[in-house]
Amino acid sequence: MPFVHQHQNTDEESGRAVSYEIFGQQLSGKQPSEDVEMASAFNWLRREHPIYWAVAVHIRNEDRAATAQAMRRIKAQGGFVKGAADVAIQGAPSMACEIKSLSKSAKLSPEQIDYLNNVSRVGGYACVAYGAAGFVLAFTEWLAMQPSPRPSDV
């Protein structure tokens, strides 16, 4: 069974604990890229929970191939949030999930940590998933929090 643990921080403004959960386990050796894990996670979501796939968004805020001009235009439009989680799914609460490769070198940036803590602070479900299997675990836990009756996945 993949490793699951919770990361706790204290919110500097309110002094209250905020947290995000971490699902999966980093492994030694060569591992599939984050892009491969992301595609696997979205393929699973589309197949197993199409209604949630229909309201899931992959936030593309790490496009290293984007030109400087394109990045300036995106930032000027005001929707660029450095550190935004890779996946956002609408719900009650909403889910923000940062998907990482299983590689031991996959790390969260300070901006990603801040973003996840902010999601938690406003009542959202924030998590980090190592690999697609970690995402499945995180999604399953999040799904159990959704109000009943949940929409049909047909």
Side-chain angles (χ1 to χ4, degrees):
M1 176 173 201
F3 185 70
V4 179
H5 72 277
Q6 192 168 31
H7 183 81
Q8 294 269 341
N9 282 325
T10 301
D11 179 67
E12 293 175 12
E13 291 178 35
S14 68
R16 77 171 212 210
V18 293
S19 64
Y20 54 88
E21 293 189 283
I22 300 174
F23 295 86
Q25 185 172 358
Q26 293 177 291
L27 302 173
S28 299
K30 185 159 176 56
Q31 300 299 325
S33 70
E34 185 174 312
D35 289 342
V36 168
E37 297 292 354
M38 181 76 63
S40 295
F42 266 88
N43 286 336
W44 174 85
L45 188 61
R46 184 177 193 174
R47 183 180 65 252
E48 299 297 324
H49 298 280
I51 191 70
Y52 289 104
W53 172 82
V55 295
V57 178
H58 172 206
I59 311 287
R60 297 192 55 90
N61 59 353
E62 305 169 337
D63 194 351
R64 290 166 186 83
T67 65
Q69 181 181 8
M71 288 307 295
R72 281 193 301 274
R73 187 180 74 245
I74 290 168
K75 288 179 181 179
Q77 293 171 348
F80 183 84
V81 177
K82 193 168 184 179
D86 290 323
V87 179
I89 304 176
Q90 301 306 309
S94 295
M95 177 186 197
C97 187
E98 178 64 32
I99 297 179
K100 292 292 188 188
S101 162
L102 296 172
S103 170
K104 290 271 190 191
S105 65
K107 305 286 184 215
L108 291 173
S109 71
E111 294 86 4
Q112 289 170 326
I113 292 169
D114 289 345
Y115 185 87
L116 292 172
N117 282 333
N118 286 336
V119 167
S120 180
R121 187 175 351 144
V122 299
Y125 179 76
C127 63
V128 175
Y130 287 101
F135 175 79
V136 169
L137 288 172
F139 179 86
T140 301
E141 182 168 304
W142 172 80
L143 186 60
M145 298 175 184
Q146 299 306 297
S148 293
R150 292 193 296 269
S152 171
D153 273 340
V154 181

